[in-house]
Amino acid sequence: SLGGISQQVNQMIEEMVIAVAVSILLVLLIVSFVFKGLKAPLAVLVSIPLALIGVVISLYLIHGQWNLAALVGVLMLTGIVVTNGIVLIDKIERNRKEGMGLREAVMHGSLSRVRPIFMTAGTTVLTLIPLAFSHGGDSVVSQTLGIVVIGGMATSTLNSFLVIPILYEWMQGRPLRKARVTATLRGGEL
């Protein structure tokens, strides 16, 4: 092509941004189909931007920049983060189907998934540490990829146990609160 290498790099970055957006959309569609609604998938998808907080912080700390390797890392991170969220929400949903109340289902589901989620995050981080701390002229791309995924995993794992359960309980509890208020009002009118 006439544009040269910089145009090709910009085109690859644009394609990766599109790939990340399409992957998030596909995840939303699949998870909403599996959970038969949008509330649980939205609670899972919130973990993606929260993982990006760790990505931005880690890139800032190493004075890195957004490049193709960082976007590939975000694409990888999206899959891992969503998997952790699905594992957590699935357990909460199963607890509710077994007859647990909302708060009890969230608490038991979250506590029972601490170990699997930490194991997933830990093995991912440990695997990428050699990549993140590699030095040399040709390792800048792989170093950025490793650091992006490690930073994103650190924040997303913590947020999996803080934000997702709280958001899920809030989203699921709103209809319950409305029903209670309505029943109370109807009872008061009679």
Side-chain angles (χ1 to χ4, degrees):
S1 76
L2 299 174
I5 293 177
S6 64
Q7 184 179 4
Q8 289 177 347
V9 169
N10 288 337
Q11 183 180 357
M12 285 190 307
I13 290 174
E14 287 174 13
E15 289 172 0
M16 284 303 299
V17 168
I18 291 170
V20 169
V22 169
S23 71
I24 292 171
L25 180 64
L26 289 173
V27 165
L28 176 63
L29 290 173
I30 291 168
V31 176
S32 63
F33 177 75
V34 169
F35 287 120
K36 297 178 178 80
L38 280 177
K39 291 180 181 177
L42 288 176
V44 170
L45 288 181
V46 165
S47 60
I48 296 172
L50 294 173
L52 291 178
I53 294 170
V55 170
V56 170
I57 291 170
S58 63
L59 281 175
Y60 176 77
L61 290 175
I62 67 160
H63 305 292
Q65 58 185 350
W66 285 99
N67 57 23
L68 189 59
L71 291 173
V72 169
V74 169
L75 191 60
M76 287 174 50
L77 191 60
T78 300
I80 297 167
V81 167
V82 167
T83 301
N84 287 345
I86 289 171
V87 165
L88 180 61
I89 296 294
D90 181 56
K91 180 60 177 170
I92 294 170
E93 291 274 319
R94 283 192 278 139
N95 286 347
R96 292 192 68 200
K97 286 179 183 172
E98 292 173 3
M100 288 186 188
L102 179 60
R103 169 108 358 131
E104 184 182 11
V106 169
M107 292 299 290
H108 284 285
S110 298
L111 291 174
S112 70
R113 293 299 177 230
V114 168
R115 185 171 175 229
I117 290 175
F118 271 131
M119 287 175 60
T120 302
T123 55
T124 303
V125 167
L126 290 174
T127 303
L128 291 173
I129 284 177
L131 192 64
F133 291 110
S134 60
H135 294 289
D138 57 346
S139 65
V140 173
V141 171
S142 58
Q143 184 179 22
T144 301
L145 176 78
I147 288 176
V148 161
V149 176
I150 289 172
M153 283 302 299
T155 57
S156 71
T157 301
L158 295 175
N159 288 320
S160 291
F161 296 114
L162 297 174
V163 176
I164 292 176
I166 291 169
L167 187 62
Y168 177 85
E169 185 175 348
W170 177 75
M171 292 173 80
Q172 296 294 330
R174 284 179 51 197
L176 294 175
R177 285 189 294 276
K178 277 186 178 179
R180 284 185 197 135
V181 168
T182 304
T184 304
L185 290 176
R186 286 185 184 161
E189 291 174 356
L190 299 173

